[in-house]
Amino acid sequence: VALLGPAGVGKTTSISKIAAAYAMRHGVDEVALVTTDSYRIAGHEQLKTLGKILRVPMRVVTDQHPLEQVLEQLKNKKLVLIDTAGLSNRDQDFDEQMKILEKLPRKITRLLVLASTSQKRILEKAVEDYQTLRLDGCILTKLDECASLGEALSVVIEAKLPVAYTTDGQNIPDDIERPRVADLLGQALDLASRSELQDEDTAEWFSDEMAPQPAFDGAA
């Protein structure tokens, strides 16, 4: 399973949760971690630390160790989780990263990670940047931080991306689950109703503040 997406959306944390939960259920011998992030200083340190804690192998894709070679070494693992560099399409290394990811074997599930706290245009841009990789679905993160869920749901529906997981916190391996449609829609409606109440309160306060005040009559 390869997790894709821009920086800061929660790819590495999501991988940590999935890896820890799988290792607890099926054993550490069945899991391996891979990262294609060799661009940033200490870009893979979090994943390296997780590998040590779980006692599972962690490999870094480099020019000397290409993705195909790394995956061949791990072919006996039941679950291989691939973390990718969070690069903007304006980043000079973005095209190079995409060339690596385009070589992913078809059997690898590609999940786009989207932060539900992002604005709709940012979410649409992430889908646009990564859709050439033939996405299989997505992960919606940071549900505990978002003020509105409608925009994220609209984007994944329009892009026809099944939601594989949702996350709502930083706890590992907790705070991740397979979503239920009723729960997602319920949360979206709940957040929308709260937003409407806040808007009404703001409008009422604003109208009170802007109302004409009595003229000063000079009385003590």
Side-chain angles (χ1 to χ4, degrees):
V1 180
L3 268 58
L4 316 166
V9 295
K11 294 189 301 296
T12 305
T13 302
S14 296
I15 278 185
S16 300
K17 294 174 180 179
I18 297 171
Y22 196 92
M24 290 171 63
R25 178 173 295 183
H26 301 286
V28 296
D29 293 336
E30 303 296 345
V31 186
L33 306 173
V34 173
T35 179
T36 64
D37 189 356
S38 58
Y39 304 96
R40 299 173 300 157
I41 297 175
H44 51 266
E45 285 303 312
Q46 183 178 343
L47 211 62
K48 183 178 180 181
T49 300
L50 177 69
K52 289 182 178 179
I53 293 173
L54 295 180
R55 289 177 288 126
V56 302
M58 198 284 282
R59 302 284 187 268
V60 180
V61 173
T62 63
D63 291 338
Q64 293 73 33
H65 300 90
L67 182 61
E68 299 90 336
Q69 182 184 98
V70 170
L71 293 178
E72 176 65 21
Q73 294 171 350
L74 301 171
K75 63 182 180 181
N76 293 325
K77 302 295 182 180
K78 287 186 177 180
L79 178 64
V80 177
L81 292 163
I82 304 173
D83 194 12
T84 59
L87 301 174
S88 163
N89 67 339
R90 296 185 296 273
D91 194 293
Q92 62 180 0
D93 294 316
F94 180 80
D95 289 339
E96 182 180 347
Q97 173 77 173
M98 292 298 284
K99 288 178 182 178
I100 293 175
L101 299 177
E102 285 169 357
K103 297 178 182 179
L104 289 173
R106 183 59 252 178
K107 63 181 179 180
I108 292 180
T109 301
R110 299 155 169 80
L111 298 179
L112 179 65
V113 182
L114 299 169
S116 58
T117 52
S118 299
Q119 296 177 346
K120 185 177 182 182
R121 182 62 195 119
I122 294 175
L123 296 169
E124 291 172 336
K125 189 67 173 67
V127 173
E128 180 183 324
D129 287 345
Y130 288 91
Q131 63 183 357
T132 57
L133 298 178
R134 296 171 294 175
L135 300 171
D136 297 295
C138 69
I139 296 176
L140 288 181
T141 62
K142 305 185 181 183
L143 266 65
D144 57 316
E145 301 177 24
C146 67
S148 170
L149 193 51
E151 292 186 343
L153 292 181
S154 294
V155 170
V156 299
I157 290 172
E158 291 168 5
K160 299 180 180 179
L161 285 177
V163 182
Y165 294 99
T166 60
T167 74
D168 57 359
Q170 297 295 315
N171 294 319
I172 299 172
D174 304 318
D175 298 338
I176 186 169
E177 61 182 16
R178 299 298 295 270
R180 294 175 63 248
V181 172
D183 292 341
L184 278 177
L185 292 179
Q187 184 173 353
L189 292 172
D190 181 53
L191 288 171
S193 64
R194 290 187 206 173
S195 178
E196 289 176 4
L197 289 174
Q198 291 172 353
D199 288 345
E200 290 174 4
D201 291 341
T202 301
E204 183 177 349
W205 174 86
F206 188 75
S207 61
D208 289 343
E209 288 296 311
M210 295 301 291
Q213 300 296 318
F216 179 64
D217 59 7

